[in-house]
Amino acid sequence: MKASSIKSELESHASTVNEFLLSYLEGKPKELYQASSHLIRTGGKRLRPFMVIKGCEMLGGTLRRALPAAAAVELVHNFTLVHDDIMDNDEMRHGTSTVHRYYGMTLAILAGDILFSKSFELLTFNCRKVGISDKAITDMVGRLSLACTEICEGQAVDVGVASSSAFPSGPEYIDMIGKKTAALFEVSCALGALSAPSHTGRDVENLSSFGKNIGIAFQLVDDLIGVSGDPKLTGKAAGNDIREGKKTYPILLALKSAKGGEKDKILKVFGARHKASSSDIKEAVRVISDIGIERDVRNAARKYMYDALNSIESYGNSDAKRSLQFSADFAVGRSL
């Protein structure tokens, strides 16, 4: 499967998931539901719902059976985005105003709460409508609840790291993103397995392992994009994570490897936000690029990708399995 093919498949499934979500996020007060669907209407790859769907199909399920769970994890994802933007005081996401910037703080908090509660409503009511057993639904609710708890724990650790003068160690950082980001990938794949008409506990664990490892790889590459990404592709300013002072893995590696004047150039703009000039940020990005951070971060991400692929190696050579394999490669190989 070529990169263009997986992108086309992602776009097709994203359209289906979006249509389902937008039809579900309707109600009164109208402005509350508009706020809750604000980020969904701006688009997105819908990689997590895609993994729910393909995990279900790999075990003999259908798109119809997987769609409620796929939509539920996307609602949780959007809930985290709304609240993350509030905590970080971000004004833009995906090239559009953040929810709190567009609708105000009060409505944004309520919109996030709606997204969170609606995700569990989807699991408990809509999964039953497509024939999923009560036992599987109970397991889904339990796993998604645990994932939400882990996301909050990971976010709290991230807040603590941001307020500390020290950088986390490599293992500490991996543990943090394993909760903050990978937990939702992990539960997405678990819910895909649980949506299938025939699944075993081993199937759920294998797909969970696939999701967790892909989630870690995805965040590592995302961190790299936050340092060296093209603003035209990311919708964020060049060197955004450097100017914001985010203690990500690529910046940790860069500061560890930089020598003398190189390190000074990075630290000069690190966390400087509005004080750093564009030329100084550009120079810091160049320094980090010259050190070879992209190679090191992508190699680390590939290690997790290979662990993920090993988790589903024993399954037959189905189209759904190939889609999961190529989505893993896509997550790690995303362009800067």
Side-chain angles (χ1 to χ4, degrees):
M1 184 182 289
K2 296 180 180 179
S4 58
S5 298
I6 188 63
K7 286 182 179 179
S8 177
E9 191 175 13
L10 277 166
E11 288 170 1
S12 174
H13 283 76
S15 178
T16 301
V17 171
N18 287 349
E19 184 179 345
F20 183 87
L21 285 171
L22 292 175
S23 68
Y24 196 71
L25 290 174
E26 293 182 346
K28 294 181 179 180
K30 186 176 181 180
E31 192 176 27
L32 172 61
Y33 284 90
Q34 287 178 329
S36 68
S37 63
H38 178 73
L39 293 179
I40 293 169
R41 285 183 271 115
T42 65
K45 297 179 181 66
R46 306 292 181 253
L47 188 56
R48 296 159 191 80
F50 184 82
M51 290 184 169
V52 177
I53 293 165
K54 292 305 169 182
C56 178
E57 290 179 348
M58 190 179 77
L59 298 178
T62 62
L63 171 62
R64 179 175 177 271
R65 285 183 68 96
L67 194 53
V73 297
E74 187 60 27
L75 289 181
V76 168
H77 177 54
N78 275 266
F79 149 72
T80 66
L81 297 182
V82 172
H83 284 194
D84 278 358
D85 287 340
I86 291 171
M87 285 183 278
D88 294 341
N89 199 29
D90 284 339
E91 296 188 355
M92 299 291 291
R93 180 177 287 277
H94 299 153
T96 192
S97 296
T98 51
V99 178
H100 70 276
R101 179 71 175 172
Y102 193 91
Y103 290 95
M105 191 69 72
T106 301
L107 210 58
I109 293 171
L110 290 172
D113 293 344
I114 282 284
L115 291 166
F116 184 80
S117 58
K118 283 284 186 181
S119 65
F120 289 95
E121 183 182 306
L122 268 171
L123 288 184
T124 51
F125 293 105
N126 291 61
C127 283
R128 187 174 289 116
K129 290 179 182 178
V130 296
I132 296 174
S133 71
D134 287 346
K135 183 178 182 300
I137 292 171
T138 299
D139 198 355
M140 285 182 179
V141 170
R143 286 174 180 269
L144 187 58
S145 300
L146 179 59
C148 291
T149 299
E150 291 185 333
I151 291 167
C152 292
E153 291 172 352
Q155 179 66 19
V157 172
D158 195 15
V159 170
V161 166
S163 63
S164 170
S165 59
F167 270 77
S169 66
E172 287 171 340
Y173 191 75
I174 295 299
D175 183 63
M176 180 183 73
I177 66 174
K179 289 186 172 184
K180 182 180 176 182
T181 301
L184 193 53
F185 279 90
E186 180 179 0
V187 77
S188 295
C189 293
L191 264 55
L194 289 164
S195 297
S198 178
H199 62 267
T200 66
R202 174 60 63 182
D203 294 328
V204 177
E205 296 315 311
N206 285 342
L207 276 161
S208 293
S209 176
F210 176 86
K212 181 167 187 176
N213 281 293
I214 288 303
I216 293 173
F218 178 91
Q219 186 59 54
L220 286 171
V221 174
D222 220 45
D223 290 341
L224 181 63
I225 292 172
V227 174
S228 306
D230 183 345
K232 294 178 181 178
L233 298 176
T234 65
K236 295 182 178 180
N240 185 71
D241 283 3
I242 304 172
R243 73 167 75 222
E244 293 294 327
K246 294 184 178 179
K247 299 183 180 78
T248 63
Y249 188 67
I251 296 175
L252 171 66
L253 288 181
L255 289 173
K256 189 175 181 180
S257 303
K259 307 295 182 184
E262 292 178 334
K263 190 171 185 178
D264 290 339
K265 287 178 179 179
I266 298 171
L267 291 174
K268 182 179 180 180
V269 299
F270 183 73
R273 289 201 164 196
H274 306 298
K275 297 179 182 178
S277 69
S278 58
S279 60
D280 284 341
I281 292 172
K282 186 176 181 180
E283 180 63 13
V285 170
R286 183 197 65 76
V287 167
I288 291 174
S289 178
D290 289 348
I291 291 172
I293 293 306
E294 179 178 354
R295 178 194 63 238
D296 294 339
V297 174
R298 286 200 188 274
N299 284 342
R302 286 190 188 99
K303 172 194 173 295
Y304 288 99
M305 182 189 76
Y306 294 142
D307 287 345
L309 295 176
N310 285 336
S311 299
I312 60 170
E313 183 60 34
S314 63
Y315 295 92
N317 194 29
S318 64
D319 288 342
K321 178 184 174 181
R322 284 193 291 274
S323 292
L324 284 175
Q325 291 169 327
F326 279 100
S327 67
D329 189 61
F330 171 80
V332 173
R334 286 173 296 151
S335 172
L336 299 182

